[in-house]
C-alpha cells in the first residue's frame, strides 16, 4: 500500500508547486483562503516590499487521503517535520483539530500521520488540523503552531440518482417527431471538479422506439409521429443516467417516466349499425318517441360531442340530441297514417361539434344511418271532409224540409265501415235542422228569419255503425241568405215641437228610415205621407233624396188650446204645439204625455199588479209594526219610573220627543241602588210619576231643567217652588258619583219650553186670543185663500161674537 501511494504523493507535491507559483503571481487569489495552502514546504519564503525574508521552520507536503480505504492497517497520510529537528529525538510532534486522535494519529518521534478510520468524501471532503513541535523535556513549543489540511480524495463511489422520480407527464397523440415532453435530472454525489465521476449522461433502454432522451440535458422527446391514444393511451419509459460520461465502469441510476397520451379529435362518429328498425302506432300523438340511436366516438371528453340531424324523411319525424348521453331520439313530428304510408325510411346523420382543422384531411367527421319506422294500423274514428268544418247557405224564405246541404265523412281504415250522422242537439236546441243519418243531408225543420239570426252554428257527429266508440264531430256553419221581406221603418220614434205662430214652409224635423234587410247601406228609400195623413192640411213631407225627409208646416197659425198634438204616423212621429216667446224659444207645451203606440201586454199588466200588491203588503206590515211598537211603549210608559215633571197640556214635544236626548240613559234609572248617605232628603222611589205644577205663562218645565227655566222666565219666586227638585237632583248626583255604570256626563234637557219672546204666544189654541194682544193679524188675508180662514179667527169681530 505504501509503495502504491508514493507516486500519488509525488504528483500531489508537483501540483502544490504549481499552485504556489500561481498564488505568488496573483493569478488565483481565491485559493489563498483555502486550507490546501497549509501543505507547503518551509523552504519557500514570502517576500514583501520593505520586509526581510523570513525562513519558515515547518517542512511538509500537502496531505491527501483516499476515501473508502478498507485496509486492515492504518493508512499513511503524510509526515510533518521542522528544520530544527536534527534527528536527536528531543522534539515531540503533536496534532489537534478535526479528527485528531480519533481519525488521525501521529508518531511523536517521526511526525508520521496515519488515518485509522474509513473516510467518505461525500460526507466530509477535508479536515483542518494544527501541528505542534514541542521540546520533549520541557514540553515547550519550538515552533509556532501551524495549521494544515488533509483532503479526502474522491473516488467514483456514488451512482447518479433521480431525486424527483418517478415522473408522470403527458403528450398529445399524433404529435410530431421531436416534440419535447419533459426534462429529467439525475444528481451524482461525487466530486464534479475531480475526474469524470460526476459527469452524467442519459439514455433509454435499447429497443425503445416511441421516445428518446437527450443524453446531455435529459429532455424526453417523441420518436415517432403516429402515437395513437385509441391504440395505447399510456407508456412506461425507463430513463438511465450513467456517470464517468458513460464510459465503461461508470455507475448508473434509473427512473420511471409515465407518459399519458392525451386525446385529440382525430376520430369521426360512427354508428354501430347501418340500419335501425322501430314500430309505432298510427294513433301515436305528435311528439311520441319512436326510438333512440347513438353513434360512438373513439375520442374522449368534448371531442365526442356530436349533434344529430335528419337528412331525409324530416317531414313526419324529427330528431333531438341528448347532450348528456350523446343519444339521438327520433320522435313523431306530424300525425302518421297507416292507410297512406306504412313504412318510412329516415336518414339520421351524426356530426362532431368540435372539429380540429389539423385533422380534416383524415376524413369526414360525420356518419349516417337509416332509421326504418313501420306504422301499425289502429281503428280510427270517421274522418270529415273537409276536416276544418263546412259552410252552407240557405234562403231565409226556404220551406220546411228544404235541403240545406250535405256533410261528408268516411271511415279512414282499410275496412271502410259505414258511418252514421247525428246533430248535437246542444248546438240546435230549437231543432231548426235535421240530418239524414245515412247520407248526411241537412234539411230545414223550421222557418228561418235572417233578421232574427243570420248564422246558425251546429255540430254534426259521425260514428261507425259497428263501433259507436269511434266517433268524431265537425262544425257546420249555416248562413241565412236575405230576401226582401221587411219594409222600411223609422229609425226611432220622432217628436218635434212647433210654435203657435209657425210660418208656412218652416222645417220642423228631419227623419230617416232603416230597413232590416240587406244590404244595410245600399237601399234607396222614397218618402210619402201615410194614407191616413195624406189629406192633412197642416204639414207636408219633403223628400231630401239622400234617404232622409223633412217635415214642414203647410199653414200658419196653430192654437195649442184647440189641438196641441199632431200624429203624422201612429206612435212614431208626434208634433207638439207649444207657446214661444218673441224670439221663437219654446216656453211651455200643454202636451203632457206621449201617446203610446200600443197597449200594454198582459205580462206587463201582471207585473204591475204584482208590484202594487207587494207595496200594499209592505204598507200594512209597516203600520202593524208601528202599532205593535206603540203598544209596547204605552206598556213601558206605565212602568217608566223616570223622574220627570211633565205638563200634559203644553204644546212641546212631550214624552215622545226623544230626538234631542238618549232616552236609554233615562230608562237605566229604573232601579237605583239604595243611597249610602244618611243625609235627609226625599226618596226617589217615593216621588210621584207625574207632578203637576202651576202654569207659568203657558210654559212647562222638565225635571232636571230647573236652572234653564229660571233663567228664561226671570221669576225668582219659582226657586222656592222647586226645593223638592233640588233635593232630588242632589240625591241623583250623589248616586251618579257612586255608580260606575251610569253615563260619564250630566245633562239638562228642556222639553216644550217656548220662551217668552213670541208676541202671539202659542198658536195651539184659539183661547190664547182671550187676552188682549197688540199684534194685528189682518195681513193674513193677503196671503191667499189658504190663510183666509186663519185670518178670520183673529178678526176683532169674532171676539165679540164669542163674548156674546
Amino acid at each position: 500500500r505504501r509503495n502504491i501511494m508514493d507516486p500519488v504523493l509525488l504528483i500531489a507535491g508537483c501540483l502544490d508547486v504549481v499552485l504556489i507559483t500561481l498564488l505568488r503571481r496573483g493569478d488565483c487569489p481565491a485559493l489563498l483562503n483555502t486550507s490546501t495552502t497549509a501543505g507547503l514546504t518551509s523552504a519557500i519564503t514570502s517576500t514583501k516590499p520593505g520586509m526581510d525574508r523570513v525562513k519558515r521552520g515547518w517542512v511538509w507536503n500537502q496531505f491527501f487521503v483516499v476515501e473508502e480505504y478498507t485496509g486492515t492497517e492504518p493508512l499513511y497520510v503524510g509526515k510533518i517535520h521542522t528544520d530544527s529537528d536534527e534527528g536527536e529525538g528531543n522534539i515531540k510532534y503533536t496534532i489537534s483539530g478535526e479528527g485528531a486522535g480519533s481519525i488521525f494519529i501521529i508518531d511523536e518521534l517521526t511526525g508520521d500521520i496515519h488515518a485509522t478510520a474509513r473516510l467518505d468524501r461525500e460526507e466530509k471532503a477535508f479536515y483542518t488540523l494544527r501541528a505542534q513541535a514541542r521540546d520533549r523535556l520541557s514540553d515547550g513549543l519550538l515552533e509556532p503552531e501551524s495549521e494544515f489540511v488533509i483532503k479526502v480524495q474522491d473516488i467514483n463511489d456514488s451512482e447518479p440518482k433521480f431525486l424527483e422520480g418517478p415522473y408522470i407527464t403527458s403528450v398529445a397523440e399524433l404529435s410530431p417527431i421531436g416534440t419535447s415532453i419533459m426534462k429529467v435530472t439525475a444528481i451524482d454525489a461525487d466530486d464534479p471538479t475531480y475526474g469524470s465521476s460526476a459527469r452524467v449522461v442519459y439514455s433509454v433502454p435499447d429497443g425503445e422506439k416511441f421516445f428518446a432522451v437527450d443524453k446531455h440535458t435529459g429532455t424526453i422527446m417523441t420518436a415517432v409521429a403516429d402515437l395513437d391514444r385509441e391504440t395505447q393511451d399510456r407508456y412506461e419509459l425507463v430513463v438511465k443516467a450513467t456517470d464517468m460520461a458513460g464510459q465503461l465502469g461508470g455507475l448508473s441510476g434509473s427512473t420511471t417516466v409515465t407518459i399519458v397520451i392525451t386525446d385529440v379529435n382525430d376520430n369521426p362518429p360512427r354508428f354501430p349499425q347501418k340500419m335501425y328498425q322501430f314500430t309505432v302506432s298510427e294513433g301515436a300523438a305528435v311528439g311520441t318517441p319512436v326510438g333512440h340511436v347513438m353513434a360512438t366516438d373513439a375520442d374522449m371528453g368534448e371531442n365526442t360531442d356530436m349533434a344529430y340531424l335528419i337528412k331525409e324523411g324530416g317531414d313526419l319525424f324529427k330528431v333531438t340530441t341528448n347532450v348528456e348521453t350523446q343519444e339521438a331520439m327520433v320522435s313523431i313530428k306530424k300525425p302518421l297514417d297507416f292507410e297512406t304510408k306504412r313504412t318510412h325510411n329516415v336518414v339520421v346523420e351524426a356530426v362532431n361539434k368540435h372539429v380540429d382543422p389539423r385533422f380534416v384531411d383524415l376524413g369526414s367527421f360525420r356518419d349516417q344511418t337509416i332509421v326504418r319506422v313501420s306504422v301499425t294500423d289502429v281503428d280510427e274514428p270517421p274522418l270529415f271532409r273537409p276536416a276544418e268544418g263546412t259552410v252552407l247557405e240557405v234562403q231565409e224564405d226556404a220551406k220546411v224540409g228544404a235541403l240545406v246541404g250535405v256533410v261528408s265523412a268516411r271511415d279512414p281504415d282499410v275496412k271502410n265501415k259505414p258511418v252514421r250522422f247525428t246533430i248535437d242537439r246542444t248546438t240546435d236546441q230549437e231543432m231548426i235542422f235535421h240530418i239524414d243519418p245515412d247520407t248526411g243531408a241537412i234539411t230545414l225543420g223550421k222557418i228561418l228569419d235572417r233578421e232574427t239570426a243570420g248564422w246558425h252554428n251546429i255540430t254534426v257527429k259521425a260514428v261507425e255503425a259497428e263501433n259507436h266508440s269511434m266517433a268524431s264531430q265537425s262544425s257546420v256553419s249555416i248562413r241565412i241568405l236575405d230576401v226582401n221581406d221587411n219594409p222600411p221603418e223609422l229609425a226611432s220614434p220622432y217628436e218635434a215641437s212647433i210654435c203657435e205662430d209657425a210660418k208656412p214652409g218652416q222645417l220642423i224635423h228631419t227623419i230617416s228610415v232603416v230597413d232590416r234587410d240587406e244590404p244595410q247601406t245600399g237601399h234607396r228609400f222614397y218618402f210619402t205621407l201615410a194614407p191616413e195623413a195624406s189629406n192633412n192640411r197642416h204639414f207636408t213631407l219633403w223628400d231630401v233624396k239622400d234617404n232622409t225627409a223633412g217635415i214642414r208646416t203647410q199653414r200658419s197659425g196653430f192654437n195649442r188650446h184647440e189641438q196641441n198634438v199632431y200624429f203624422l204616423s201612429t206612435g212614431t212621429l208626434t208634433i207638439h204645439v207649444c207657446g214661444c216667446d218673441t224670439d221663437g224659444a219654446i216656453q211651455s207645451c200643454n202636451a203632457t204625455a206621449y201617446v203610446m203606440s200600443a197597449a200594454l201586454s198582459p205580462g206587463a199588466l201582471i207585473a204591475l199588479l204584482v208590484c202594487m200588491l207587494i207595496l200594499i203588503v209592505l204598507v200594512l206590515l209597516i203600520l202593524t209594526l208601528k202599532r205593535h211598537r206603540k203598544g209596547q211603549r204605552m206598556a213601558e210608559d206605565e212602568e217608566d219610573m223616570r223622574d220627570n215633571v211633565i205638563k200634559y197640556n203644553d204644546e212641546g214635544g212631550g214624552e215622545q220627543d226623544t230626538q234631542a236626548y238618549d232616552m236609554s240613559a233615562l230608562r237605566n234609572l229604573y232601579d237605583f241602588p239604595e243611597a249610602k248617605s244618611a243625609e235627609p232628603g226625599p226618596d226617589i222611589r217615593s216621588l210621584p210619576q207625574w207632578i203637576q205644577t202651576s202654569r207659568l205663562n203657558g210654559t212647562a218645565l222638565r225635571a232636571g231643567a230647573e236652572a234653564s227655566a229660571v233663567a228664561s222666565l226671570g221669576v225668582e219666586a219659582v226657586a222656592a217652588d222647586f226645593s223638592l227638585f233640588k233635593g232630588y237632583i242632589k240625591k241623583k248626583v250623589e248616586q251618579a258619583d257612586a255608580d260606575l255604570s251610569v253615563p260619564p256626563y250630566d245633562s239638562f234637557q228642556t222639553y216644550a219650553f217656548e220662551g217668552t219672546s213670541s208676541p202671539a204666544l202659542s198658536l195651539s189654541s184659539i183661547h190664547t186670543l182671550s187676552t188682549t194682544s197688540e199684534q194685528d193679524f189682518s195681513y193674513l188675508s193677503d196671503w191667499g185663500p189658504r190663510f183666509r180662514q186663519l185670518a178670520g179667527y183673529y178678526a176683532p169681530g169674532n171676539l165679540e161674537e164669542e163674548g156674546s
Side-chain angles (χ1 to χ4, degrees), residues 199-314:
R199 292 182 59 191
V200 178
V201 294
Y202 302 92
S203 62
V204 294
D206 294 337
E208 175 59 50
K209 63 179 181 179
F210 297 106
F211 304 98
V213 62
D214 187 291
K215 67 176 183 179
H216 299 294
T217 62
T219 300
I220 301 174
M221 301 168 291
T222 57
V224 295
D226 58 351
L227 290 175
D228 187 8
R229 187 202 63 81
E230 289 73 32
T231 302
Q232 185 175 349
D233 63 350
R234 184 182 297 264
Y235 292 87
E236 299 290 340
L237 179 66
V238 176
V239 179
K240 183 179 181 182
T242 305
D243 60 10
M244 299 296 294
Q247 297 177 6
L248 186 63
L251 302 178
S252 63
S254 63
T255 187
T256 301
V257 180
T258 301
I259 302 175
V260 178
I261 309 301
T262 59
D263 185 62
V264 297
N265 193 8
D266 59 336
N267 291 280
R270 290 286 181 265
F271 284 102
Q273 300 175 218
K274 289 303 180 183
M275 178 177 289
Y276 296 84
Q277 291 189 352
F278 301 105
T279 301
V280 65
S281 170
E282 67 171 334
V286 173
T288 301
V290 175
H292 295 79
V293 298
M294 182 176 178
T296 59
D297 193 325
D299 295 322
M300 294 179 59
E302 68 174 10
N303 294 327
T304 62
D305 292 347
M306 63 186 74
Y308 297 89
L309 51 92
I310 293 180
K311 299 296 290 183
E312 296 180 13

Side-chain angles (χ1 to χ4, degrees), residues 391-711:
V391 178
L392 304 176
E393 293 181 348
V394 61
Q395 294 283 341
E396 67 173 323
D397 59 348
K399 305 297 182 182
V400 174
L403 178 64
V404 177
V406 179
V407 294
S408 175
R410 68 173 184 85
D411 183 9
D413 298 321
V414 176
K415 296 181 180 180
N416 194 16
K417 299 176 182 178
V419 176
R420 298 292 181 264
F421 299 94
T422 59
I423 294 178
D424 185 357
R425 287 304 171 186
T426 59
T427 62
D428 185 24
Q429 297 180 356
E430 298 180 1
M431 301 184 69
I432 301 175
F433 304 97
H434 299 292
I435 190 170
D436 187 288
D438 297 321
T439 64
I442 299 175
T443 57
L444 197 60
K446 289 185 178 181
I447 298 298
L448 301 174
D449 183 13
R450 189 203 64 82
E451 288 70 36
T452 302
W455 285 85
H456 293 274
N457 297 314
I458 62 174
T459 299
V460 176
K461 294 183 178 179
V463 298
E464 289 185 5
E466 300 177 3
N467 185 3
H468 289 179
S469 63
M470 291 292 101
S472 59
Q473 62 184 21
S474 177
S475 62
V476 178
S477 300
I478 302 174
R479 179 184 179 186
I480 311 303
L481 300 178
D482 182 54
V483 295
N484 192 9
D485 58 346
N486 290 281
E489 300 174 352
L490 291 177
S492 62
Y494 291 100
E495 292 187 5
S497 300
I498 61 172
C499 297
E500 290 180 304
D501 56 353
K503 305 300 181 186
Q506 180 178 339
L507 180 63
I508 300 174
H509 205 279
T510 301
I511 62 174
S512 62
V513 296
V514 294
D515 192 331
R516 292 190 296 166
D517 293 322
E518 292 181 346
Q520 296 291 338
T521 59
H523 290 289
R524 177 67 180 92
F525 300 107
Y526 300 93
F527 297 87
T528 58
L529 286 175
E532 61 272 16
S534 60
N535 297 324
N536 162 13
R537 300 188 307 272
H538 307 290
F539 306 97
T540 183
L541 186 67
W542 173 46
D543 190 350
V544 187
K545 305 300 183 180
D546 62 349
N547 289 342
T548 60
I551 305 298
R552 297 186 178 215
T553 57
Q554 194 172 2
R555 70 178 181 87
S556 62
F558 292 89
N559 190 345
R560 58 177 171 168
H561 297 291
E562 294 177 0
Q563 185 176 355
N564 64 344
V565 179
Y566 294 89
F567 300 100
L568 293 188
S569 178
T570 306
T572 57
L573 181 55
T574 305
I575 300 176
H576 299 272
V577 180
C578 303
C580 303
D581 59 10
T582 57
D583 297 329
I586 296 175
Q587 297 295 321
S588 64
C589 298
N590 290 335
T592 58
Y594 303 139
V595 179
M596 298 181 63
S597 61
L600 292 175
S601 64
L605 291 175
I606 293 174
L608 289 175
L609 291 176
V610 171
C611 292
M612 293 177 63
L613 181 61
I614 292 174
L615 289 175
I616 293 172
V617 172
L618 288 175
V619 171
L620 292 175
L621 287 176
I622 292 172
L623 293 175
T624 303
L625 183 60
K626 284 186 175 182
R627 184 170 296 176
H628 178 67
R629 288 183 176 177
K630 184 176 181 180
Q632 288 183 345
R633 288 180 180 177
M634 292 178 64
E636 292 176 358
D637 290 343
E638 293 178 358
E639 300 178 359
D640 194 355
M641 298 302 295
R642 293 174 296 167
D643 296 315
N644 298 325
V645 178
I646 302 299
K647 192 71 174 178
Y648 276 97
N649 59 350
D650 64 11
E651 290 82 12
E655 187 179 6
Q656 299 301 323
D657 187 5
T658 60
Q659 299 298 325
Y661 186 77
D662 185 6
M663 297 304 292
S664 62
L666 296 176
R667 290 192 178 94
N668 290 335
L669 303 177
Y670 278 122
D671 298 326
F672 297 112
E674 293 297 329
K676 297 181 180 180
S677 175
E679 294 181 5
D683 189 1
I684 299 174
R685 298 174 183 266
S686 63
L687 292 177
Q689 183 175 3
W690 304 104
I691 299 178
Q692 299 290 337
T693 61
S694 60
R695 181 174 182 180
L696 299 177
N697 295 334
T699 304
L701 300 178
R702 269 289 191 188
E706 174 188 353
S708 176
V710 172

Side-chain angles (χ1 to χ4, degrees), residues 24 46-53:
R24 295 188 64 181
S46 60
T47 304
K48 294 183 180 179
M51 296 183 62
D52 297 333
R53 180 177 297 176

Side-chain angles (χ1 to χ4, degrees), residues 276-280 288-294 317-320 327-332 348 371 373:
Y276 296 84
Q277 291 189 352
F278 301 105
T279 301
V280 65
T288 301
V290 175
H292 295 79
V293 298
M294 182 176 178
F317 301 92
K318 65 178 181 179
V319 63
T320 55
E327 280 186 312
M329 182 184 72
V330 180
S331 58
I332 299 175
V348 178
V371 177
V373 181

Side-chain angles (χ1 to χ4, degrees), residues 780-781 784-794 798:
L780 294 176
S781 59
R786 296 183 181 181
F787 293 90
R788 289 174 185 171
Q789 186 177 359
L790 181 61
Y793 290 150
Y794 290 92
N798 292 339

